[in-house]
Amino acid sequence: MTEFDPEKFEDKYVHYFEELQEAYSNAYNQLHGRYDSEILKAIDRNVLSESEPFYEGDGEFRVELPDERVEEVRSAVGKPEQFDTVLEELVTRIEAELRRIFGFESAD
């Protein structure tokens, strides 16, 4: 568990880069093998790579997605319902991983 400082999170890539990588990687690995790997990889490489995590306060995090990229990748993948399901679950898991890594909730 990493000690969390909300003010440092404003400059997250300097202070918490490894923790962010861990959260994104853990979320990806949790879904690997459960969903179409083409969709999972497309989201990881083309959407999440341009996403931005924010600390909302009270131990809550939010991952903001680049809307234009989401639409482009959804169209390119050609399976919009499956894409949306995978994307939603990945974001939910990233946010949960951030809460866990920074000590706001314990691992299940």
Side-chain angles (χ1 to χ4, degrees):
M1 178 176 73
T2 300
E3 188 172 329
F4 183 75
D5 180 338
E7 289 182 23
K8 284 184 177 180
F9 201 77
E10 301 214 4
D11 202 8
K12 59 190 146 274
Y13 299 113
V14 170
H15 299 287
Y16 296 120
F17 185 74
E18 289 179 17
E19 291 83 354
L20 294 171
Q21 280 189 313
E22 180 183 351
Y24 278 67
S25 178
N26 288 350
Y28 181 91
N29 288 333
Q30 290 167 13
L31 299 185
H32 184 63
R34 292 186 49 210
Y35 290 106
D36 182 319
S37 63
E38 180 183 324
I39 293 174
L40 193 56
K41 286 178 187 175
I43 291 170
D44 183 51
R45 294 178 183 160
N46 300 302
V47 176
L48 293 180
S49 63
E50 296 184 28
S51 68
E52 186 76 27
F54 292 95
Y55 180 63
E56 297 288 290
D58 295 325
E60 292 298 318
F61 292 87
R62 171 180 55 88
V63 175
E64 189 172 291
L65 302 172
D67 291 333
E68 189 174 300
R69 291 298 293 155
V70 169
E71 293 305 319
E72 289 172 8
V73 177
R74 180 185 290 123
S75 294
V77 168
K79 301 175 186 175
E81 287 181 22
Q82 192 174 9
F83 174 90
D84 291 342
T85 299
V86 174
L87 180 60
E88 182 178 329
E89 187 158 353
L90 259 173
V91 168
T92 298
R93 288 179 183 259
I94 291 167
E95 293 167 348
E97 281 296 309
L98 289 168
R99 288 189 303 273
R100 184 190 63 75
I101 289 167
F102 291 116
F104 293 108
E105 64 184 43
S106 61
D108 293 335

